[in-house]
């Protein structure tokens, strides 16, 4: 019930002293107290009744009201039987904290107000439960098949006054009713949801962002691609949608929770329907990429591309350019968080999850709606997911790094760093400490002859990304023209021996003397051997820097004035 309804009930004899703008607050219960600090007994939403016995002087009103406001009570009703008129200091404190304040006439007993509130709140809860069946019926008859997830979310808003959004595993909004959810908030909620799901906890999960509480309900994939219940949770949860509701569901009755679970099932059906619609695009990508991988004639590949182009870019008059993106999800086979049992985790299927993730990652994060990925074709080949991405005909292969930097804003070609900018935070939370996502991006090509090279280029770039630290890593084609292309292919034992020979003496010295030779070496190389720039960067005197470099040379037997020795140190630091 609302505070306004109490004020409009003549039998209660309440008189409003402050907080007229807050009368639409919901009352969830009632509490009578004369304690100076009743916070331990407050859960939020109460109408607090007090006889003011806690007040000794004017200074007591501010802390008492601050405690009530902090606990989230709906309003305060003060009796006039003890002091007569309500003190001005209490009225002013309530006004400052925007807490509605009522005066209770001395002829009205607190028991009368308590009984009225309890009766009204209990009656509303009973009515809410009685309406659940009807709401289920309306949801089933007006569900996603009749107009998308927005229909269900509109019903949640109109029937239960709940604001809700359907989010992808990266936090992108797929559907919502009313105001859109800010992108950064969606990313945080998705990350919290993935992290909670990894622990095996059942939803809904509670999350608070910027002072607002949300309840996160998983939307399980129920179609043919869904993992069996007995398999590891890691096979599916990274590709599941979620329902974010702006409310705290921790104290909801079972019937309302059941209703929300029914909503997630309806949306899951819609998800399955849309996944089925991607089958044609996935099949086209599979056919083209298999031809490319097996070295088919360019004319045969071109014929397949002519079939694919109208499906992926309807209405496009000319053949597009293409890029290839490769993704892979790897799991530590020694761990199985959230697993429900069954066989060991060494057989975790990574490519279907990578396929669904890649389809999501390739969507512009600023675009909302479930159909924004309709022009993306992703196949899975072995342990990798491979995307065939059409680009507008104006996109041409970038000739060199200078041109790439100059035209980055206008170039429609995909860039590895931009792909992960909006998704790395939530996906890192889901991958936790035992999973990795790596991506490689090719240059744009404009002919079938270039696709074979683009596929190999994207795969090489992904292996470069895999050699980097971090849970979510990507590399682009432009990085393949530098030394980083070689590093991933150096055997681990060679890496360890090479870095140990050069860096272990420095590490031992730093450990024994609390020196900073390793950071000094890195800064010296980053400054191209410039003594003045390096000293300024490290906030050292040049003589101190010269002493440290001399110590590095003495411990390693190398000469940092020689290009060969600088290069060896540079590679050792990159591989360590």
């Amino acid at each position: 019930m609302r505070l306004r309804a109490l004020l409009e009930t003549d039998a209660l004899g309440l008189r409003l002293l402050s907080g007229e703008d807050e009368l639409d607050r919901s009352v969830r219960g009632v509490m009578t107290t004369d304690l100076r600090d009743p916070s331990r007994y407050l859960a939020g939403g109460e109408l607090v009744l007090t006889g003011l016995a806690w007040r000794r002087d004017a200074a007591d009103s501010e802390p008492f009201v601050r405690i009530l406001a902090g606990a989230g009570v709906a309003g305060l009703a003060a009796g006039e039987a003890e002091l007569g008129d309500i003190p001005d200091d209490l009225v002013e404190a309530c006004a400052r904290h925007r807490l509605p304040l009522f005066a209770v006439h001395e002829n009205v007993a607190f028991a009368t107000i308590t009984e009225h509130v309890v009766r009204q709140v209990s009656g509303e809860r009973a009515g809410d439960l009685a309406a659940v069946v009807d709401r289920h019926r309306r949801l089933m008859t007006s569900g996603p098949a009749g107009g998308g997830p927005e229909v269900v979310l509109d019903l949640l808003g109109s029937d239960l006054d709940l604001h809700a959004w359907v989010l992808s595993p990266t936090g992108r909004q797929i559907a919502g009713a009313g105001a859109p959810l800010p992108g950064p908030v969606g990313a945080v909620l998705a990350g919290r949801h993935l992290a909670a799901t990894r622990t095996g906890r059942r939803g809904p999960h509670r999350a608070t962002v910027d002072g607002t509480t949300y309840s996160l309900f998983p939307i399980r994939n129920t179609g043919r691609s869904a993992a069996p219940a007995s398999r590891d949770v890691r096979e599916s949860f990274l590709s599941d949608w979620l329902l974010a509701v702006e409310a705290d569901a921790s104290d909801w009755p079972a019937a309302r929770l059941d209703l929300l679970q029914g909503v997630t099932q309806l949306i899951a059906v819609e998800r399955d329907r849309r996944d089925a619609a991607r089958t044609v695009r996935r099949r086209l990508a599979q056919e083209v990429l298999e031809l490319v991988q097996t070295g088919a004639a360019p004319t045969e590949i071109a014929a397949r591309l002519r079939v694919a182009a109208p499906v992926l870019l309807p209405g496009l008059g000319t053949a597009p350019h293409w890029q290839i993106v490769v993704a892979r999800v790897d799991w530590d086979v020694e761990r199985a968080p959230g697993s429900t049992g069954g066989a060991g985790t060494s057989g975790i299927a990574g490519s279907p999850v990578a396929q669904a993730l890649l389809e999501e990652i390739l969507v512009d994060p600023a675009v909302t709606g479930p159909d924004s990925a309709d022009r993306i074709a992703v196949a899975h080949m072995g342990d990798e997911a491979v995307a065939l991405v059409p680009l507008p005909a104006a996109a041409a292969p970038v000739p060199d790094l200078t041109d790439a930097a100059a035209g980055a804003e206008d170039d429609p070609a995909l860039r590895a760093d931009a792909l992960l900018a909006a998704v790395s935070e939530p996906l890192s939370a889901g991958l936790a400490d035992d999973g990795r996502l790596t991506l490689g991006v090719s240059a744009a090509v404009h002919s079938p002859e270039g696709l074979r090279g683009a596929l190999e280029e994207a795969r090489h770039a992904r292996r470069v990304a895999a050699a980097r630290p971090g849970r979510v890593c990507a590399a682009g084609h432009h990085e393949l023209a530098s030394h980083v292309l070689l590093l991933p292919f150096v055997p681990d034992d060679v890496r360890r021996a090479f870095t140990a020979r050069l860096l272990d003496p420095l590490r031992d010295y730093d450990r024994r003397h609390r020196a900073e030779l390793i950071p000094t070496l890195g800064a010296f190389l980053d400054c191209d051997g410039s003594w003045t720039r390096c000293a300024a960067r490290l906030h050292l005197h040049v003589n101190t820097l010269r002493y440290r470099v001399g110590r590095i040379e003495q411990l390693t037997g190398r000469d940092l004035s020689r290009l060969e020795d600088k290069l060896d140190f540079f590679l050792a630091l990159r591989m360590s």
Side-chain angles (χ1 to χ4, degrees):
M1 67 178 301
R2 308 285 183 182
L3 284 173
R4 189 180 304 279
L6 291 174
L7 190 63
E8 294 169 351
T9 304
D10 294 336
L12 299 182
L14 297 179
R15 182 162 49 91
L16 182 66
L17 300 180
S18 71
E20 185 175 359
D21 295 337
E22 304 292 332
L23 290 179
D24 286 326
R25 292 188 181 186
S26 296
V27 180
R28 296 164 52 185
V30 63
M31 175 191 178
T32 301
T33 184
D34 277 312
L35 295 174
R36 297 171 64 85
D37 181 2
S39 57
R40 73 185 72 179
Y41 305 110
L42 296 171
E46 297 91 350
L47 174 66
V48 175
L49 306 177
T50 180
L52 301 178
W54 49 267
R55 182 184 178 277
R56 292 192 295 267
D57 54 47
D60 292 335
S61 293
E62 170 64 25
F64 181 77
V65 173
R66 184 171 61 247
I67 289 169
L68 298 187
V73 304
L76 173 64
E80 296 178 324
E82 185 73 20
L83 301 179
D85 291 340
I86 305 303
D88 290 340
D89 49 89
L90 181 60
V91 177
E92 293 167 1
C94 287
R96 281 194 297 273
H97 290 278
R98 302 181 64 85
L99 181 66
L101 173 63
F102 302 91
V104 182
H105 194 274
E106 60 181 0
N107 294 330
V108 178
F110 283 175
T112 302
I113 300 174
T114 301
E115 181 182 353
H116 178 83
V117 171
V118 170
R119 184 168 60 249
Q120 291 297 318
V121 171
S122 299
E124 289 182 1
R125 286 175 179 168
D128 185 43
L129 299 182
V132 165
V133 174
D134 179 62
R135 290 185 179 118
H136 270 296
R137 178 188 59 77
R138 293 179 61 192
L139 290 171
M140 291 301 295
T141 56
S142 306
E150 288 82 0
V151 173
V152 179
L153 302 184
D154 283 336
L155 284 174
L156 287 180
S158 61
D159 277 23
L160 296 180
D161 195 24
L162 292 176
H163 301 291
W165 302 265
V166 177
L167 304 179
S168 77
T170 65
R172 182 178 63 88
Q173 181 174 320
I174 293 169
L181 192 68
V185 175
V188 172
L189 292 178
R192 302 268 183 89
H193 173 74
L194 291 176
T197 304
R198 285 297 308 278
T199 65
R201 286 161 42 203
R202 297 184 60 185
H205 308 300
R206 185 177 182 274
T208 301
V209 182
D210 297 334
T212 301
T213 299
Y214 301 86
S215 295
L216 311 176
F217 294 81
I219 299 174
R220 304 295 185 195
N221 185 4
T222 60
R224 287 180 295 178
S225 61
S230 61
R231 300 293 295 274
D232 196 302
V233 68
R234 293 179 290 182
E235 290 193 8
S236 61
F237 83 106
L238 281 174
S239 57
D240 287 340
W241 289 355
L242 67 136
L243 177 67
V245 181
E246 188 179 329
D248 186 352
S250 59
D251 61 349
W252 282 4
R256 179 171 285 203
L257 288 173
D258 289 344
L259 174 62
L260 267 293
Q261 296 295 348
V263 169
T264 65
Q265 292 169 15
L266 287 172
I267 298 174
V269 172
E270 175 70 1
R271 166 72 186 273
D272 295 340
R273 186 180 70 82
R274 294 175 189 271
D275 280 350
R278 291 184 179 181
T279 303
V280 173
R281 298 191 300 278
R282 288 175 171 177
R283 186 182 303 123
L284 285 172
Q286 197 80 34
E287 292 174 353
V288 172
L289 292 169
E290 285 178 356
L291 289 174
V292 169
Q293 185 168 260
T294 56
T299 53
E300 188 176 358
I301 298 174
R304 285 293 181 190
L305 287 175
R306 283 194 294 271
V307 173
V311 176
L312 299 175
L313 288 175
L316 190 66
T318 58
H321 299 292
W322 303 90
Q323 265 184 293
I324 289 180
V325 182
V326 174
R328 176 167 167 161
V329 174
D330 293 292
W331 299 102
D332 184 345
V333 299
E334 299 298 326
R335 307 183 186 185
S339 176
T340 55
T345 61
S346 59
I348 294 174
S351 56
V353 173
Q355 184 180 31
L357 272 181
L358 188 52
E359 286 173 334
E360 172 61 30
I361 289 169
L362 291 174
V363 178
D364 183 346
V367 176
T368 60
D371 294 321
S372 50
D374 282 353
R375 296 179 179 181
I376 296 170
V378 181
H380 61 82
M381 310 178 73
D383 292 329
E384 295 176 328
V386 184
L388 185 66
V389 183
L391 299 173
V398 179
D400 57 47
L401 292 176
T402 303
D403 289 344
E409 293 184 0
D410 299 326
D411 185 8
L414 300 173
R415 295 182 63 85
D417 53 352
L419 281 180
L420 294 190
V423 303
S424 60
E425 180 182 350
L427 293 184
S428 295
L431 293 163
D433 58 354
D434 66 327
R436 295 200 74 206
L437 170 67
T438 51
L439 284 89
V441 182
S442 78
V445 297
H446 58 86
S447 67
E449 290 86 349
L451 283 177
R452 178 67 180 270
L455 178 59
E456 292 304 314
E457 191 173 57
R459 283 177 165 161
H460 280 304
R462 192 205 64 77
R463 286 194 283 270
V464 169
R468 296 173 175 169
R471 291 295 158 195
V472 181
C473 298
H477 60 91
H478 59 280
E479 299 180 64
L480 303 186
S482 74
H483 67 279
V484 297
L485 175 62
L486 304 176
L487 297 186
F489 308 104
V490 177
D492 288 343
D493 56 343
V494 176
R495 283 169 175 262
R496 287 192 293 269
F498 182 74
T499 57
R501 190 175 301 118
L502 281 174
L503 301 183
D504 277 2
L506 307 182
R507 292 192 182 108
D508 292 341
Y509 187 89
D510 283 349
R511 188 165 48 250
R512 291 196 310 270
H513 300 278
R514 297 184 179 180
E516 296 184 347
L517 297 186
I518 292 288
T520 300
L521 174 62
F524 186 72
L525 296 175
D526 286 345
C527 294
D528 298 322
S530 168
W531 296 99
T532 55
R533 283 196 290 128
C534 184
R537 177 171 172 176
L538 295 176
H539 305 290
L540 298 174
H541 192 278
V542 172
N543 288 342
T544 303
L545 177 61
R546 290 185 184 277
Y547 171 79
R548 289 188 182 179
V549 170
R551 178 66 67 182
I552 291 171
E553 293 174 335
Q554 179 185 11
L555 292 170
T556 60
R558 299 298 186 107
D559 183 355
L560 278 168
S561 66
R562 298 178 67 246
L563 176 62
E564 294 88 344
D565 288 343
K566 286 181 182 177
L567 180 60
D568 285 346
F569 277 123
F570 176 77
L571 291 174
L573 289 172
R574 291 300 296 266
M575 289 191 294
S576 64

